[in-house]
Amino acid sequence: MPEGIIDAIKKLASKKMIEAEKKVTKWLGDPMKKGAVAGEKFSEDGDEGIDNFRHPMSARYTSEAIQKKTGNIPVVSNALGFMGGGMLGAAHELSTVFNDKRPWKVKLQESGEDMINNLVGAAVGSTPFISSKQKTDFLSYLSANNMLPDGIVLTGKYKNQNAYFKKNK
């Protein structure tokens, strides 16, 4: 296939995935925005927050929204929340890789790290019998103690920086 056709297919697929993601996000009450807001509270510089806190928080909120949408049926809704939070996180990562001009090795590493963080957040969000505060505190602890991948693969002049919390160093 000619390169122009491949690029057109990638662009169309990416656009369709982003449109679908926006609809699902709205239906679930915008868990990505809730994750970004939570991340801002822990950020040292006022941006959308540390990536290895924002991603799990967004997936946690996605999981909880799915559980609520499925009637909070014990075990069933928890499982659906976990699976949905993980799958929607993976779909989000897939929707971003085609618009990223960095090398594939870099994009795949960063997406992989983000997916790990999404799965952790979805698992925490699906855990019954613990409070919302306990869930936030646990994800904060994992992030603040650098127990999750940083979710950022920096290249060029930024490659030696990291996006971890620095307060426990």
Side-chain angles (χ1 to χ4, degrees):
M1 250 188 227
E3 190 70 28
I5 293 174
I6 293 171
D7 288 339
I9 292 170
K10 286 180 186 177
K11 188 174 181 179
L12 179 62
S14 178
K15 182 179 177 184
K16 293 292 183 186
M17 288 180 73
I18 289 169
E19 288 172 4
E21 180 181 26
K22 285 180 182 178
K23 289 177 183 177
V24 171
T25 295
K26 183 178 178 183
W27 182 69
L28 292 173
D30 208 352
M32 286 182 10
K33 182 173 181 169
K34 290 177 184 174
V37 169
E40 288 171 6
K41 293 179 183 177
F42 290 93
S43 176
E44 297 167 353
D45 56 9
D47 65 4
E48 67 180 13
I50 302 298
D51 210 57
N52 74 351
F53 183 69
R54 181 176 48 84
H55 274 270
M57 287 297 287
S58 295
R60 169 203 158 185
Y61 292 133
T62 300
S63 173
E64 292 172 347
I66 291 169
Q67 291 171 69
K68 186 175 180 181
K69 292 281 187 185
T70 59
N72 285 317
I73 302 165
V75 181
V76 173
S77 292
N78 300 85
L80 292 172
F82 171 68
M83 291 184 294
M87 287 188 291
L88 290 172
H92 167 75
E93 293 307 318
L94 184 59
S95 76
T96 64
V97 295
F98 294 114
N99 295 322
D100 188 338
K101 301 298 182 207
R102 296 177 298 167
W104 276 97
K105 178 182 176 186
V106 172
K107 294 188 287 191
L108 292 175
Q109 181 183 347
E110 186 167 309
S111 290
E113 290 182 8
D114 288 345
M115 284 190 260
I116 290 169
N117 292 334
N118 289 336
L119 285 172
V120 169
V124 170
S126 298
T127 304
F129 313 120
I130 63 173
S131 71
S132 180
K133 181 181 181 326
Q134 289 171 314
K135 291 176 183 183
T136 299
D137 289 348
F138 181 65
L139 291 173
S140 174
Y141 176 83
L142 293 177
S143 180
N145 289 284
N146 302 327
M147 296 174 148
L148 296 171
D150 69 356
I152 304 269
V153 180
L154 300 170
T155 59
K157 67 180 180 179
Y158 303 105
K159 71 181 178 182
N160 293 322
Q161 295 179 1
N162 70 52
Y164 287 117
F165 279 108
K166 312 290 191 294
K167 65 183 178 185
N168 291 333
K169 297 272 177 200

